[in-house]
């Protein structure tokens, strides 16, 4: 596949995909909670960014203990978000805009309110109902958890069933007690997921972002995790557990999924379906290759840039592995700079000595270190954005990054909803700060345009509080400013279509002999200056001698030919 011309590509290989965190995007009913109809009312905005698809964070019925990542029913829409009819209407309208929809599939676990789990609680130890999950007897007299595994969001990974005298088994929940893990070796579980694929493909969705790939599949004996070093943070212990993370057993699950997907394609010619894997395999290219074998995922997120400090060596490192995989296997990366789990980039890069979290759950680390300079962070994120818009592969944008939203750091504890905050007793701040409802205009009475008033004119408080100055970031404010982040995203999207998409799906890191990061993709050379000073490029350099600047993250500063402004990115085309 490497070196394909655009016509031979699958749509998802170099698509622009916009992640909608449904709860915080747009509220059409005035209850302070985003919904499907709200998305439908804002399709013009998404269209203006030139996107190919929307990825919807989980919008299935759910008690919302982990905001949708605790699915109670995989075949419906959460009532606060609307109905299946609303969903179908969104699909149809999106299609009018040539926008596809990707769902978020959560295979690793469901909600403790899922009917199967409820049935398992009522059933006997050893029953068929319990075999769909990991129910085990406790150690010793049964009072100790079956093993020492920790939950990803704090505490033990095991919860004891206490509501029966004769029982007292424990069940496994890798994330929280509200999210019991499925045992994917069970035939019912396999069939369940095959049915889920069929159900959503029949409605017209184009694929799935597959959640929590790393911990799906366990060592069959569930042995104790070997001791971890004192340097491993409380939320990182799960991620170094060799018996539950990146297990060979997981690959059996992904092979089943892929064959279900392909059998659907065979029965429905013309459908070009995909699955992208969410797993943090940063600097582990061998894992990316394993998971993107032709019988598993089509793509895997490349989070390397998202977790990279703003520094030449780290940026180059973050590019090299994905490029090597692309060039050798043809598997195009799924680039991303933000998502609903990570502190927003403007805040992250707004620190001179940005120490970024190695793992996504640990947002506290990102808060330590130097004071935050949001102007600097915005400038650097413009440069990062200009970089990823030129790269081969798909781009996943997270809602609000096109508005330059910063992380909201000062949410009062009473308003925090993330289970990470609660299960660590506030020791970890969690992820609410990147999930604040979007500002669409400056009207305070409608929560900055987030909420459409209800029929009686009322507007409920947004589910997470918006800061007083949120209107400064509103879409309407940005529309009037041709230096805004929004303008950068729109022009970058156009430039991508004109200069980048036409290039081969291949790239390499260049040595430009300067303080600069260089990338070549066919006839396009991208130069990033990650320093605090303007840097002159050698226009006689063989890579640049016939090239002219065609796009810049700081268009108003392109005065001196050959000088890359501080903290900026320039594209050169031959
Ligand atoms: C999702 C998180 C979620 C977790 C558990 C992650 O990978 O992105 O938001 O809390 O999976 O489902």
């Amino acid at each position: 596949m490497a070196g394909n011309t655009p016509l031979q590509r699958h749509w998802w290989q170099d698509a622009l995909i916009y992640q909608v965190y449904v709860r915080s995007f747009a509220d059409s009913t005035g209850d302070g909670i985003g919904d499907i109809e709200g998305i439908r009312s804002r399709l013009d905005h998404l269209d203006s960014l030139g996107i190919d698809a929307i990825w919807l964070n989980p919008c299935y019925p759910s008690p919302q203990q982990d905001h949708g990542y605790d699915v109670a029913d995989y075949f419906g829409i959460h009532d606060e978000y609307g109905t299946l009819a609303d969903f179908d209407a969104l699909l149809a309208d999106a299609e009018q805009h040539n926008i596809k929809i990707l769902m978020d599939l959560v295979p690793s676990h469901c909600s403790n309110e899922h009917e199967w789990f409820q049935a398992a609680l009522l059933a006997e130890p050893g029953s068929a109902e319990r075999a769909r999950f990991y129910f085990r007897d406790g150690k010793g007299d049964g009072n100790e958890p079956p093993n020492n595994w920790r939950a990803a969001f704090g505490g033990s990974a095991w919860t004891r069933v206490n509501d029966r005298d004769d029982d007292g088994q424990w069940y496994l929940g890798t994330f929280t007690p509200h999210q019991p893990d499925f045992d994917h070796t069970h035939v019912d579980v396999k069939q369940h997921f095959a049915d889920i694929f069929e159900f959503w493909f029949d409605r017209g969705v184009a694929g799935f972002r597959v959640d929590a790939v790393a911990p799906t599949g366990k060592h069959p004996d569930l042995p104790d995790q070997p001791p971890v070093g004192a340097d491993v943070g409380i939320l990182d212990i799960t991620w170094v557990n060799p018996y539950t993370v990146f297990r060979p057993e997981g690959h059996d699950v992904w092979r089943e999924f892929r064959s279900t997907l392909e059998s659907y394609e065979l029965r429905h010619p013309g459908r070009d379906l995909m699955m992208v894997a969410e797993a943090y395999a940063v600097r582990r290219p061998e894992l990316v290759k394993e998971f993107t074998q032709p019988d598993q995922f089509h793509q895997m997120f490349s989070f390397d840039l998202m977790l990279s400090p703003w520094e030449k060596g780290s940026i180059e490192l973050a590019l090299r592995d994905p490029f090597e995989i692309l060039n050798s296997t043809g598997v195009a990366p799924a680039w991303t700079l933000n998502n609903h789990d990570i502190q927003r980039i403007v805040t992250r890069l707004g620190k001179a000595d940005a120490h970024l979290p190695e793992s996504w759950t640990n947002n506290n680390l990102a808060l330590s270190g130097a004071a935050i300079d949001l102007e600097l962070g915005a400038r650097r994120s413009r440069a990062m954005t200009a970089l990823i818009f030129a790269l081969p592969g798909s781009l996943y944008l997270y809602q609000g990054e096109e508005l330059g939203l910063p992380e909201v750091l000062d949410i009062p504890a009473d308003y925090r909803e993330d289970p990470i905050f609660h299960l660590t007793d506030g020791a970890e701040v969690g992820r609410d700060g990147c999930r604040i409802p979007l500002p669409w205009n400056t009207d305070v009475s409608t929560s900055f345009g987030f909420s459409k008033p209800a029929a009686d004119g009322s507007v409920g408080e947004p589910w997470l509080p918006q800061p007083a100055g949120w209107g400064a970031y509103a879409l309407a404010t940005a529309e009037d400013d041709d230096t805004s982040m929004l303008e950068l995203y729109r022009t970058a999207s156009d430039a991508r279509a004109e200069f980048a998409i036409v290039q081969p799906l291949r790239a390499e890191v260049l040595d430009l002999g300067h303080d600069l990061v260089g990338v070549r993709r066919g006839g396009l050379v991208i130069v990033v200056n990650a320093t605090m000073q303007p840097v002159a490029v050698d226009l006689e350099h063989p890579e640049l001698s016939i090239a002219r600047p065609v796009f810049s993250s700081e268009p108003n500063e392109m005065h001196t030919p050959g000088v890359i402004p501080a903290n900026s990115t320039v594209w050169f085309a031959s």
Side-chain angles (χ1 to χ4, degrees), residues 19 21 55 57-58 66-70 104 106 108-109 152-153 175-176 179 209-213 215 239 278-280 339-341 360-361 418-420 431 435:
Q19 177 189 353
Y21 194 77
W55 147 32
N57 276 107
D66 188 19
H67 293 310
Y69 287 97
D70 47 327
D104 202 322
V106 189
S108 132
H109 49 266
F153 292 172
F175 287 89
T176 71
Q179 293 159 296
R209 174 260 190 196
V210 181
D211 181 66
V213 160
W239 305 113
E278 187 242 6
Y280 284 70
N339 65 36
H340 63 291
D341 292 324
W360 59 277
T361 37
D418 188 351
I420 291 184
R431 303 159 294 173
R435 301 174 175 181

Side-chain angles (χ1 to χ4, degrees), residues 76-152:
I77 295 292
H78 180 59
D79 56 2
E80 288 173 314
Y81 299 160
T83 61
L84 271 173
D86 295 336
F87 179 83
D88 291 341
L90 172 64
L91 262 169
D93 276 16
E95 199 180 340
Q96 296 297 311
H97 290 267
N98 272 324
I99 294 175
K100 301 179 197 305
I101 305 273
L102 302 179
M103 295 297 271
D104 202 322
L105 186 67
V106 189
S108 132
H109 49 266
C110 59
S111 157
N112 59 333
E113 292 188 16
H114 191 282
E115 62 169 353
W116 281 7
F117 190 73
Q118 288 296 315
L121 289 179
L122 295 174
E124 300 296 322
S127 59
E129 287 83 353
R130 288 203 170 182
R132 294 163 173 160
F133 300 93
Y134 291 95
F135 277 87
R136 295 289 184 275
D137 293 330
K139 272 190 183 157
D141 58 4
N143 291 323
E144 297 291 317
N147 67 27
N148 65 354
W149 295 4
R150 309 296 298 167

Side-chain angles (χ1 to χ4, degrees), residues 263-430:
S263 105
Y264 193 94
E265 282 181 327
L266 271 178
R267 285 177 284 123
H268 299 83
R271 295 290 289 277
D272 187 3
L273 306 168
M274 62 86 73
M275 297 187 296
V276 57
E278 187 242 6
Y280 284 70
V282 174
R283 289 192 295 280
R284 298 181 69 183
E286 70 292 350
L287 282 177
V288 180
K289 284 184 180 166
E290 266 178 36
F291 281 87
T292 54
Q293 292 173 73
D295 62 351
Q296 297 182 45
F297 289 99
H298 301 77
Q299 280 183 310
M300 187 161 179
F301 283 115
S302 174
F303 292 131
D304 302 57
L305 268 182
M306 180 169 78
L307 297 181
S308 167
W310 183 240
E311 184 270 315
K312 171 183 157 87
S314 307
I315 297 172
E316 287 176 344
L317 207 60
L319 296 170
R320 276 209 171 91
D321 288 341
F323 288 173
E324 190 280 313
I325 295 166
L326 171 64
N327 299 342
S328 63
T329 69
V331 172
W335 303 102
T336 179
L337 297 178
N338 290 285
N339 65 36
H340 63 291
D341 292 324
I342 283 280
Q343 192 183 88
R344 284 190 180 272
I345 188 170
V346 170
T347 304
R348 264 186 280 133
L349 297 188
K351 280 171 287 186
D353 69 341
H355 290 294
L356 297 176
E358 282 284 307
S359 84
W360 59 277
T361 37
N362 198 340
N363 273 332
N364 271 14
L365 251 185
L367 295 174
S368 61
I372 297 162
D373 174 346
L374 288 181
E375 238 170 80
L376 179 65
R379 194 174 163 110
R380 288 170 169 176
S381 42
R382 293 174 69 95
M384 271 289 204
T385 301
L387 168 64
I388 65 163
F389 269 78
L391 298 180
S394 296
L395 311 185
Y396 283 74
L397 313 179
Y398 175 49
Q399 69 180 39
E401 68 175 67
E402 79 279 22
L403 303 176
L405 293 185
E407 184 82 359
V408 176
L409 299 170
D410 56 358
I411 305 171
D414 285 356
Y415 287 89
R416 290 205 178 262
E417 298 235 351
D418 188 351
I420 291 184
F421 179 80
H422 295 287
L423 291 171
T424 62
D425 290 326
E428 286 291 332
V429 36

